Structure formats: C-alpha cells, structure tokens
Amino acid sequence: MSGSRQPPEETVPTDEIRAKAAAWVAQLHDEQRSSDVEAGVRAWLGESEHHRRAFDRMTSAWELAGKIQMRARGEGSTIHTGRRPRFIPWAAAMAATLVLAVTAAAYFWRDNVVVTGVGQRQVRLLQDGTRVVLNTDTRIEVDYDEHARRVRLVRGEAWFDVAKRPTWPFLVMVGGQEIRALGTSFIVRHDAQDLSVTLVEGRISVAPVAGSDEAPSQNPQILTPGQRLTLSRQHAPAVDRPELNRVTAWERGRVEFDETPLGDAANEMNRYAKTHITVADAEVAQLRVGGVFRAGDSDEFVRTVTAAFGLRADRRGSTIVLSRSSGLQ
C-alpha cells in the first residue's frame, strides 16, 4: 500500500531558508566565530540546492552592503575626488533584503511559543541555532537564560537538532520528565497516555523533573543512537530500537505502517486530519496494515484498507466508521 506522489520541489528558496542563509552569513563574519559554525554552514549547504542558492545571494548582499557603507563613509571625509558617487538602486535593495532576512531570522529565534494546528508542520530556528521541527497539533514554549536552554513540550511531537554549546545545557521538559542533551538530535512525542523519546544521534539522559509528582522515581535513563524510551501510564518504561525511517516519516509528510493493527493505524492517521476514522469491530481493529500514506489523507487510507480487507466505510459527519462487510469472513 502506498500514498500519493510527493509534490515537486520548490523552485524558489523559502523565506525561512533565506533567513537561515542570512544568519549563517552573519555568523561567519563574526570575529569570534567557532569551527562549529563553519562545520554547520558546510553541512547546511550540502543539504539542498536551495540552501546554496540562498547563501550565495545573501553573501553577495553582505558584500554589497559593505561597499555601500564604505562609500557612505568616503562621502563624509575631507578628501574629495570631484566625482559624484554612483548610486546603485539594486545594490541597496539587496542590502535591505539582507537586513530583512536577518530580522526574520531573529524573529524565529525570539518567538518563545510555537504552535502547529492539526495537519500542520513547522520548522523553527532557536536563538542558539538549534533546529526544531514540529509535527501536527504541537505546542512548545522556549525559555533561554544564561544558565540553560529550556524548552517545554506541552503536547504533540517535535524533532530537536541541538546546537553544540558545551557550557550551555539544552533541556526539554515534558510529562514530568527532563531530557538533557548537548549537540544531539532526538524526537519527543507526548500524548494523553504515552511519552516517547527517540535518539537519532548523540547522547541524552531522561529523568524525572526534581519535585515532580507526575512520574515515578527512577534513575536517569541514558539513550544511545537508535534507541527509543517509552513511558506509559499503562505499563513499565520500555526501551526498543524502532526503524528510524518510520519514526521520522512525518517530517517528510508521510505515515508509515508495518504490520500495524488497523485500530492503531486509524488513530495515527487521525492525528493529521479533522476527519476521524473509527473501527467499529474489535476483531477488525486487529487486522494488520502495512504501507506508506500521505499524512492527513484520510480518504486515501480508507479507500486502501476497505479494498484490501473488504471492509465497509460509513461516513457520519466528520467521522468515518470502518466495519465488517457482509463479504468479510
């Protein structure tokens, strides 16, 4: 079973890419830049042609802005050549574009509450350069100070690519737990019943927040790349090694299943759409589903599973009920 084709790649860099490119250019021209910044730029440029194109334009804008500034200083000096300075409108416009882009990047960094609606995804760059991808129906609250970088995941799912700052701890508070990381990539998912933390790379520890009565007393859990820790109200904490492509499929706009009970698959699809799928029969809910679907495309999912299993789908307002048809044995 497979979802529909992926949309074609954009031909123009987005505002967010241009803002990030401007931020990288500014950091590279900082006299106190570190080798981490240079490595970060190289990695970012290698991710996409859009990144390289935006970076080239912002570099040109930076250089032009410098020339314009030097010319303005020359006009105020006591030495005159007798020639009028030539005004270049497009150069000034490019310089203004750079200023606006840096302002946009600063806006991303300083917005301390980020929320996505049902079916939405969003990428944000925090003040330190940490990249956060928010999944559907997610809310985070950011609180940085001189002692620590703190993010609270109120609900939903987020993927954190943490900027390396050895003396500035990065902490995620969620469900009575504290996740501590440095230069790490990990995913946190929190719903009414479960909390899961999947480590993509690096090293993190997960422990109850001091003084919290929401979580049982436990020693810090150290995760290694590829491990997922699940804390549930229904069972004891568990660590497993899921397939990362499946765990991260949502970042690509997909939902992937592999021998997943139909009831669980329907619940997962419901996270991305206001149309909810329910399974009326407990036996039908245990049918195993495999495949790749577009996140939010409930109709495609319903068409696929009804055809595969001979089910009946009844639409009742914003709800689709799957049930056994007369031909299902």
Side-chain angles (χ1 to χ4, degrees), residues 10-71:
E10 296 177 359
T11 57
V12 178
T14 63
D15 290 342
E16 185 173 315
I17 290 176
R18 291 195 294 270
K20 181 58 177 174
W24 280 130
V25 171
Q27 289 183 66
L28 283 174
H29 285 79
D30 188 337
E31 293 181 355
Q32 299 183 6
R33 72 177 185 272
S34 67
S35 58
D36 287 342
V37 169
E38 296 171 0
V41 170
R42 288 194 295 270
W44 188 77
L45 291 175
E47 292 175 2
S48 166
E49 176 62 29
H50 294 315
H51 292 184
R52 293 187 289 273
R53 187 180 307 137
F55 185 84
D56 288 343
R57 293 187 63 183
M58 291 306 169
T59 298
S60 297
W62 180 282
E63 294 171 352
L64 287 167
K67 291 177 182 178
I68 292 171
Q69 188 177 36
M70 290 179 65
R71 179 175 293 128

Side-chain angles (χ1 to χ4, degrees), residues 264-279:
D264 293 343
N267 289 336
E268 186 67 17
M269 292 298 297
N270 290 342
R271 296 178 65 207
Y272 300 90
K274 294 183 178 179
T275 296
H276 273 213
I277 305 166
T278 63
V279 183

